Structure formats: structure tokens, C-alpha cells
């Protein structure tokens, strides 16, 4: 399997190595590994695995559970894959390329019998949704959104139009005011 298979799986199945919304912290650690950074705040816990970032919230009874997670593909541009990709993902999917192209991911998702629809088109990022799963895909539309003019389109570590910035898995009730984007 490949990194593209991983992204298509997340977008269509909404899990990472069998772990997803509703799983507790121990379940995520068992699946993705023990190397992470926890960032608590506001009653939530953000667990950062590098490529994967998980948000946990308290349950009325029992341990905290996952209420949202994202795959931060943009982090691969600036870091070595070995430092950003958790070892269980590398073992399952092999080497992760430094960028993911939206058209390639869309084709992989369609090959799994799912669709990708444009949900929102802002000037710097376009948001797509896989209706069958609810996953969202954020795609770079403007690589220099602040107009600094210092974007170098030929530089391999620079974002490009059509790059997948991230995938987001969260229920619709988990509103943007609760999400933290990194």
C-alpha cells in the first residue's frame, strides 16, 4: 500500500489504522504509537502525532474520547517523513511523499466508489467533502495568501496550488469555533 492509499482510506473510512471518532486515548496510542505531544486546554486535549492530530473531549462517564482528527499533510513539506509520520503508518503504508496532489487523491477516492464535492471556495483554500463519509479535504488555492510576494513556486518545500493541505474528520456538530488548525 502507499501513502495515497492511506489518505484515500482516511477520506472514505474516517479512521487511522482502525481508530477514529469515539476511540479513547489508549486506543489511539495502541494504533498510532507512543510518540506524541499532548496539549490540553479548554477542557479538550489535542494529541499531536506529527502527521496526525487528534482532539479528545471528556465523556459523561469514562475516559476522554476522540471527537475530531486531522491528517496534516502540509507538515510533510518541511520535515523529514521519518520525523513526521508515526512508525505504524510507515510500516503499513511505506514512504510518505512530501506533498499530496488533490487530483491524485480525488482519483483514488473515486476508485473506491466515493465522490468528492466542492463545499467551499475561498480565495486561499478550497474545501471539499466526501459526502459518503463526511470527511473534508482542504486544498491550497493560493500559495501566497497574504501577498508577501516571497513565495517561490519552483521550491520543492513551498506549497503549490492543488496541494492537499489537510484532511479533517469531525462530526458536523463539532463546529469551527472548537477546531484548532495548525
Amino acid at each position: 500500500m502507499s501513502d495515497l492509499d492511506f489518505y484515500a482510506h482516511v477520506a472514505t473510512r474516517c479512521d487511522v489504522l482502525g481508530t477514529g471518532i469515539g476511540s479513547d486515548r489508549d486506543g489511539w496510542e495502541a494504533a498510532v504509537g507512543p510518540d506524541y505531544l499532548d496539549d490540553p486546554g479548554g477542557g479538550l486535549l489535542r494529541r499531536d502525532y506529527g502527521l496526525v492530530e487528534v482532539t479528545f473531549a471528556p465523556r459523561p462517564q469514562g475516559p476522554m474520547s476522540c471527537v475530531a482528527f486531522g491528517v496534516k499533510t502540509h507538515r510533510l513539506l518541511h520535515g523529514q517523513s521519518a520525523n513526521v509520520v508515526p512508525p505504524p503508518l510507515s510500516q503499513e503504508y511505506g514512504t510518505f511523499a512530501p506533498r499530496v496532489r488533490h487530483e491524485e487523491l480525488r482519483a483514488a477516492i473515486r476508485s473506491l466508489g466515493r465522490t468528492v464535492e466542492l463545499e467551499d471556495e475561498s480565495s486561499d483554500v478550497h474545501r471539499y467533502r466526501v459526502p459518503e463519509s463526511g470527511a473534508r479535504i482542504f486544498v491550497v488555492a493560493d500559495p501566497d495568501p497574504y501577498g508577501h510576494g516571497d513565495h517561490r513556486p519552483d521550491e520543492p518545500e513551498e506549497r503549490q496550488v492543488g496541494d492537499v493541505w489537510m484532511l479533517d474528520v469531525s462530526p458536523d456538530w463539532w463546529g469551527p469555533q472548537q477546531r484548532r488548525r495548525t
Side-chain angles (χ1 to χ4, degrees):
M1 297 209 292
S2 71
D3 58 343
L4 191 58
D5 294 324
F6 168 68
Y7 302 127
H9 177 91
V10 169
T12 60
R13 304 289 303 263
C14 294
D15 73 66
V16 174
L17 300 173
T19 305
I21 302 293
S23 297
D24 64 20
R25 293 176 291 180
D26 292 341
W28 277 93
E29 186 173 337
V32 186
D35 296 324
Y36 54 82
L37 173 69
D38 278 346
D39 180 20
L44 302 175
L45 174 69
R46 182 179 62 92
R47 178 165 286 178
D48 188 344
Y49 286 98
L51 180 62
V52 177
E53 189 172 284
V54 185
T55 301
F56 297 95
R59 284 193 252 183
Q61 299 170 347
M64 296 182 98
S65 67
C66 172
V67 294
F69 70 90
V71 177
K72 313 295 185 164
T73 56
H74 63 276
R75 293 180 177 173
L76 293 167
L77 281 174
H78 303 293
Q80 297 296 325
S81 165
N83 297 331
V84 177
V85 179
L89 291 178
S90 294
Q91 292 165 3
E92 182 74 20
Y93 294 98
T95 303
F96 281 67
R99 70 177 4 108
V100 183
R101 302 297 296 166
H102 179 246
E103 287 307 316
E104 292 174 8
L105 178 55
R106 178 193 301 247
I109 292 169
R110 286 181 174 165
S111 76
L112 295 173
R114 304 297 192 267
T115 57
V116 178
E117 298 175 351
L118 182 63
E119 186 176 64
D120 183 53
E121 193 171 25
S122 71
S123 61
D124 59 334
V125 175
H126 294 174
R127 186 176 67 224
Y128 295 85
R129 184 176 176 95
V130 179
E132 298 87 353
S133 70
R136 290 182 172 91
I137 304 164
F138 293 77
V139 179
V140 174
D142 180 355
D144 187 16
Y146 303 111
H148 294 284
D150 59 355
H151 179 73
R152 300 176 314 271
D154 296 329
E155 177 64 38
E157 289 189 357
E158 293 278 346
R159 62 191 163 272
Q160 306 294 327
V161 171
D163 282 351
V164 173
W165 185 254
M166 67 174 274
L167 288 92
D168 179 70
V169 176
S170 57
D172 285 339
W173 54 263
W174 183 252
Q177 67 275 11
Q178 283 92 10
R179 292 185 194 146
R180 289 178 65 179
R181 303 274 184 230
T182 60

